[in-house]
């Protein structure tokens, strides 16, 4: 059923993209733009609107169509909502909207993928072979989820009776809730790979929600829960990690560190993990929640704008490219050494926008600097959430410390995650009018703040 749905979705996207490409090509002969934004995810939509608004506020308004967004996607997704879907708190349809409905008339949408970057000629090439030139380029393509890096995983996800699921895709996030609810006894394993993933706290958020669900429904005594992570600790920031490990011990959740999932045998319900010493171990499971491996997109990795790993190489404070001054990047595709979250984008977008505007207007950078702020709203159960906020150096940078130490889960933070953040996202963030902890008016801290 999942495989059929995936095939239908792919076909519908292809048909829609083809029609949009024809529209973009016939409705505008324009192949040169003041600003080109590659990607229409959280970072792309947010920054495209903020750039347009910033020029307008300075009395130097860009004309309609001067800012182009390149992306063939049919839908725009609120990906943080997939954890809520997996926990039975939201319907997955509420986490997406047609992309076209979110593109205001002052932005041009080119419904194609970028296949190559040519920074020396200030242009990109699209799937149709079209060359799009720019004065300024913003890269916000996101990252790549490498489902196939774990042997047997795609097959297991497509099998409705496999007990294997993941909150990391629209097509599988509702299967997570189905599997959690279906489990009456046995062993539930939740995994996290070593390395970069979107919202590094999400793999255990869904675990804590499952644990709490089992307690509430009196199944807890019949279900064993284990956390297998490729990381050496529960979380990258020691303050929150220590508290989460105490929670793990208190709740009787097994902790298996530096264990990377490498294969799934769904027919026999076995998961194979590779340990730090290179040896492997097979574990039986009844339910398996998988966080897949992730990395930079191939189109970025194989381009001249990438660093040695494959991320867009930028200055971590100004968000300007390290080699090409008319290129910028934000979000998951960038080399900024911070967690890849929507919260990070709320802090990055206004800094990027201010610096981009200043360079175009005066030829010089502004004083705006990104300090690495990011946030991970760590669900620890129904009605409770630990609000982890931190910056470069893995130093806590807490917004609500006045309410008490944020390492302690609170119901207020839970409603931030469940209710406030989704509402703010759809009504303000993707429209370029939400600046995270700064609210509706951005301010720009120096990097030392």
């Amino acid at each position: 059923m999942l495989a059929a749905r995936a095939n239908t979705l792919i076909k519908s996207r292809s048909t829609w993209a083809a029609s949009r490409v024809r529209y973009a090509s016939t409705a505008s002969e324009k192949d040169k733009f003041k600003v080109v934004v590659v990607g229409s995810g959280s970072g792309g939509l947010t920054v495209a609107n903020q750039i347009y608004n910033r020029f307008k506020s300075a009395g130097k308004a860009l004309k309609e169509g001067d800012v182009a967004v390149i992306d063939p996607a049919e839908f725009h997704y609120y990906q943080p909502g997939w954890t809520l879907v997996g926990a039975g708190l939201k319907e997955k349809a509420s986490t997406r909207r047609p992309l076209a409905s979110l593109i205001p008339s002052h932005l041009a949408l080119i419904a194609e993928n970028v296949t190559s970057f040519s920074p020396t000629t200030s242009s990109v090439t699209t799937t149709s072979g079209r060359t799009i030139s720019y004065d300024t380029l913003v890269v916000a393509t996101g990252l790549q989820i490498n489902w196939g890096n774990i042997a047997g995983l795609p097959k297991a996800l497509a099998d409705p009776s496999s007990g294997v699921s993941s909150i990391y895709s629209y097509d599988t996030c509702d299967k997570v809730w189905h599997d959690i609810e279906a489990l009456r006894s046995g062993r539930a394993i939740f995994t996290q790979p070593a390395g970069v993933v979107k919202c590094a706290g999400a793999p255990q958020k869904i675990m804590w929600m499952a644990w709490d669900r089992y307690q509430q429904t009196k199944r807890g005594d019949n279900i064993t829960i284990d956390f297998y992570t490729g990381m050496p600790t529960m979380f990258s920031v020691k303050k929150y990690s220590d508290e989460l490990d105490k929670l793990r011990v208190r709740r009787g959740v097994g902790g298996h560190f530096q264990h990377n999932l490498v294969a799934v045998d769904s027919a026999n319900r076995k998961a194979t993990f590779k340990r730090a010493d290179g040896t492997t171990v097979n574990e039986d499971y009844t339910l398996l929640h998988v966080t897949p491996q992730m990395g930079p997109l191939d189109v970025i990795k194989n381009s001249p704008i990438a660093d040695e790993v494959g991320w867009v190489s930028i200055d971590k404070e100004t968000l300007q490219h390290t080699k090409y001054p008319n290129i910028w990047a934000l979000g998951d595709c960038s080399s900024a050494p911070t967690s890849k979250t929507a919260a990070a984008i709320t802090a990055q977008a206004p800094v990027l926008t201010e610096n981009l505007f200043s360079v175009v207007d005066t030829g010089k950078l502004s004083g705006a600097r990104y300090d690495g702020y990011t946030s991970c709203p760590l669900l620890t159960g129904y009605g409770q959430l630990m609000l982890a906020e931190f910056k470069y150096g893995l130093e806590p940078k807490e917004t609500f410390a006045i309410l008490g130490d944020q390492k302690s889960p609170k119901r207020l933070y839970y409603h931030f995650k469940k209710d406030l953040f989704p509402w703010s996202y759809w009504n303000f963030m993707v429209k370029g009018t939400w600046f995270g902890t700064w609210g509706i008016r951005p301010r720009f801290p120096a990097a030392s703040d």
Side-chain angles (χ1 to χ4, degrees), residues 62-136:
L62 297 167
K63 297 176 182 177
E64 281 198 9
D66 277 351
V67 180
V69 177
I70 304 180
D71 197 320
E74 180 179 3
F75 294 102
H76 176 95
Y77 297 91
Y78 177 60
Q79 296 184 34
W82 293 343
T83 305
L84 302 175
V85 174
L89 294 169
K90 299 282 186 183
E91 294 295 327
K92 75 174 185 178
S94 70
T95 69
R96 76 175 188 182
R97 293 186 184 177
L99 175 59
S101 71
L102 302 176
I103 302 291
S105 61
H106 57 259
L107 299 181
L109 176 62
I110 300 171
E112 297 190 53
N113 275 316
V114 168
T115 57
S116 65
F117 294 84
S118 180
T120 56
T121 60
S122 293
S123 64
V124 298
T125 303
T126 65
T127 44
S128 69
R130 183 179 176 188
T131 297
I132 307 295
S133 299
Y134 55 81
D135 291 336
T136 303

Side-chain angles (χ1 to χ4, degrees), residues 350-369:
V351 170
L352 186 157
T353 296
E354 191 65 19
N355 279 319
L356 184 155
F357 171 78
S358 183
V359 168
V360 171
D361 188 42
T362 70
K364 298 179 181 179
L365 290 164
S366 76
R369 296 295 182 269

Side-chain angles (χ1 to χ4, degrees), residues 206-385:
I206 193 63
M207 176 182 74
W208 296 128
M209 297 303 279
W211 180 91
D212 198 23
R213 179 64 178 169
Y214 295 144
Q215 307 312 306
Q216 292 178 6
T217 56
K218 310 301 181 185
R219 288 177 277 168
D221 291 342
N222 299 320
I223 297 171
T224 301
I225 295 180
D226 287 287
F227 186 46
Y228 279 78
T229 173
M231 306 303 288
T233 59
M234 290 293 289
F235 197 69
S236 58
V237 180
K238 188 177 188 304
K239 171 181 178 176
Y240 307 119
S241 181
D242 289 348
E243 201 65 22
L244 289 165
D245 202 50
K246 291 176 185 176
L247 183 67
R248 179 188 65 77
V249 172
R250 189 161 64 246
R251 290 181 171 181
V253 172
H256 306 268
F257 301 97
Q258 295 184 303
H259 281 67
N260 277 299
L261 180 66
V262 294
V264 178
D265 178 0
S266 55
N268 296 299
R269 300 235 171 181
K270 290 186 181 294
T272 303
F273 294 89
K274 187 174 184 179
R275 295 179 286 209
D277 61 5
T279 60
T280 59
V281 58
N282 294 318
E283 298 291 340
D284 295 321
Y285 68 84
T286 317
L287 177 152
L288 179 67
H289 178 271
V290 178
T291 301
Q293 297 171 20
M294 303 177 200
L297 286 162
D298 291 338
V299 68
I300 301 293
K301 188 187 301 184
N302 300 322
S303 78
I305 66 173
D307 66 9
E308 63 278 4
V309 178
W311 307 111
V312 182
S313 181
I314 58 168
D315 180 281
K316 70 176 185 178
E317 295 179 349
T318 66
L319 308 183
Q320 185 179 39
H321 198 276
T322 54
K323 184 176 179 181
Y324 305 105
N326 66 336
I327 296 179
W328 310 76
L330 80 165
D332 295 354
C333 71
S334 84
S335 64
T338 190
S339 291
K340 298 182 183 298
T341 67
I345 289 168
T346 65
Q348 292 170 6
V351 170
L352 186 157
T353 296
E354 191 65 19
N355 279 319
L356 184 155
F357 171 78
S358 183
V359 168
V360 171
D361 188 42
T362 70
K364 298 179 181 179
L365 290 164
S366 76
R369 296 295 182 269
Y370 174 56
D371 64 1
Y373 173 82
T374 189
S375 175
C376 185
L378 277 154
L379 289 159
T380 53
Y382 292 87
Q384 53 182 283
L385 183 144

